[in-house]
Amino acid sequence: MTFLLVLLVIVLIIAFKSIKIVKQAEVYVIERLGKFYKVADAGLTIIIPFFDHVRSVVSLKQQTMDVPPQGVITKDNVTITIDTVVFYQITDPAKAVYEIQSLKKGIEYLAITTIRDIIGKMDLDETFSSRDGINNQLRVVLDEATDRWGCKIDRVEIKDITPPADIRDAMEKEMNAERNKRALILESEAQRQSAIMIAEGKKQAAILEAEADKESRITRAAGEAQAIKEVADAKAKEIQMVYEAIKNSNPDDKLVQLKSLEALEKVAEGEANKIFIPFEATSTLSSLGTIKEVFKN
């Protein structure tokens, strides 16, 4: 009975050592007698106890690694601190285990040296304006170097660039001066635009006023001309009426001359009328008084 219990315990231990459950997105690197044997994928895996053992459990998920902030010197001899994060994924678990002692340490040291090399070729201002370029250069260099480690670098991001305190103060003063300069430029531009608009408004007002005065003069002149024409037409009608009356009454020459002169006298009363009397009419004018007396009698 004791032997059976011992045998059962041994069987259970062997079964426990033999059956392995691999989780999703993980793999087991299995060695047999100290030599790489296989990579066990997710699911149930059977190994031989005392001959096989799991060397390492490798995650296939994308992983992140914070690179400690590093002080680097720029091309113009300014020391800045750069904080970086690396996103990577293991593509070959066997290489990640056997090709390097510590994959994370290798990526970290490689990232530090690469950052120093890249930043050392840039000026301070260029480091702030070229983050995308620095990230891309870091990713390319790290991806090429870690390929033989069975690792792929997906992206590298610079989280922060911190210059020295005195440099920050100088940059803040420079930014304030630049903002003040832009404010003055905008203010002067606004004043210039305002002056231009005011001058343009005055110009348009003067043009409209001149146009209005012109139209007023034209209208007034047209009215005066129309009035003169109407007066002249009225006088002409009066003369025509006198002529018709004299003609209908069959007058003699003296009466015609007298009525004509009376009509001329009325026409001459208008301020806008100018009468030109021919030389031959002077004899008639000299006898005007006598003719009037004859007709009175």
Side-chain angles (χ1 to χ4, degrees):
M1 187 66 181
T2 303
F3 174 76
L4 293 176
L5 290 176
V6 172
L7 183 61
L8 180 60
V9 170
I10 293 173
V11 170
L12 291 175
I13 293 174
I14 292 174
F16 179 78
K17 292 285 186 178
S18 301
I19 300 174
K20 299 293 182 183
I21 304 298
V22 183
K23 297 180 181 179
Q24 184 66 33
E26 289 183 351
V27 294
Y28 284 6
V29 177
I30 300 175
E31 292 180 344
R32 175 168 290 179
L33 299 176
K35 184 180 178 180
F36 171 71
Y37 172 57
K38 69 175 182 178
V39 174
D41 295 326
L44 179 65
T45 299
I46 305 297
I47 63 175
I48 301 175
F50 309 110
F51 289 92
D52 299 338
H53 78 280
V54 178
R55 167 66 185 273
S56 179
V57 179
V58 179
S59 174
L60 298 181
K61 295 183 290 187
Q62 188 178 72
Q63 303 178 58
T64 61
M65 184 184 67
D66 282 323
V67 179
Q70 297 295 315
V72 296
I73 300 175
T74 62
K75 184 179 179 180
D76 48 355
N77 296 322
V78 178
T79 301
I80 59 177
T81 302
I82 294 185
D83 191 5
T84 313
V85 60
V86 179
F87 298 83
Y88 69 96
Q89 187 174 16
I90 295 175
T91 56
D92 191 331
K95 288 184 178 180
V97 172
Y98 293 106
E99 294 294 333
I100 188 171
Q101 180 70 28
S102 174
L103 180 61
K104 286 192 174 182
K105 285 293 182 181
I107 295 174
E108 178 183 328
Y109 294 149
L110 187 59
I112 291 172
T113 56
T114 305
I115 289 172
R116 289 177 177 173
D117 180 63
I118 294 174
I119 299 300
K121 298 176 183 178
M122 294 182 175
D123 294 331
L124 177 62
D125 294 338
E126 191 176 358
T127 60
F128 290 107
S129 60
S130 305
R131 286 199 179 193
D132 290 339
I134 297 172
N135 293 337
N136 187 58
Q137 291 184 59
L138 278 170
R139 187 195 64 79
V140 171
V141 173
L142 292 178
D143 192 43
E144 291 178 356
T146 57
D147 183 62
R148 61 189 181 92
W149 299 339
C151 177
K152 177 176 177 57
I153 305 299
D154 293 323
R155 61 187 299 178
V156 180
E157 293 291 339
I158 294 178
K159 294 194 296 184
D160 191 22
I161 299 177
T162 307
D166 56 341
I167 299 296
R168 289 200 301 271
D169 292 340
M171 292 174 64
E172 289 178 1
K173 291 179 181 178
E174 182 179 357
M175 287 188 293
N176 289 332
E178 185 65 24
R179 282 195 292 267
N180 293 334
K181 175 184 174 182
R182 288 199 297 267
L184 291 174
I185 291 174
L186 291 174
E187 183 179 358
S188 62
E189 182 66 20
Q191 292 177 355
R192 186 178 75 87
Q193 292 293 337
S194 176
I196 291 174
M197 293 179 67
I198 291 174
E200 187 67 24
K202 290 182 178 180
K203 175 183 175 182
Q204 292 295 330
I207 292 174
L208 293 175
E209 185 177 356
E211 290 290 338
D213 184 65
K214 175 184 175 182
E215 293 293 335
S216 176
R217 290 176 180 272
I218 292 173
T219 303
R220 186 167 57 251
E224 292 177 353
Q226 183 65 27
I228 292 173
K229 182 177 181 301
E230 291 177 357
V231 171
D233 290 343
K235 296 297 182 181
K237 289 180 180 179
E238 290 182 4
I239 294 173
Q240 183 66 28
M241 291 174 62
V242 172
Y243 173 76
E244 293 292 339
I246 295 174
K247 182 179 178 181
N248 294 332
S249 62
N250 296 320
D252 55 10
D253 293 338
K254 297 297 183 178
L255 181 59
V256 170
Q257 293 177 0
L258 178 61
K259 292 299 182 179
S260 299
L261 292 175
E262 289 179 353
L264 290 175
E265 181 181 2
K266 292 182 179 180
V267 171
E269 291 177 357
E271 295 181 357
N273 299 326
K274 294 182 180 180
I275 306 300
F276 296 93
I277 302 175
F279 179 76
E280 292 77 4
T282 56
S283 59
T284 305
L285 292 173
S286 61
S287 59
L288 180 60
T290 305
I291 295 173
K292 286 185 177 181
E293 290 296 331
V294 171
F295 278 98
K296 287 180 181 180
N297 297 328

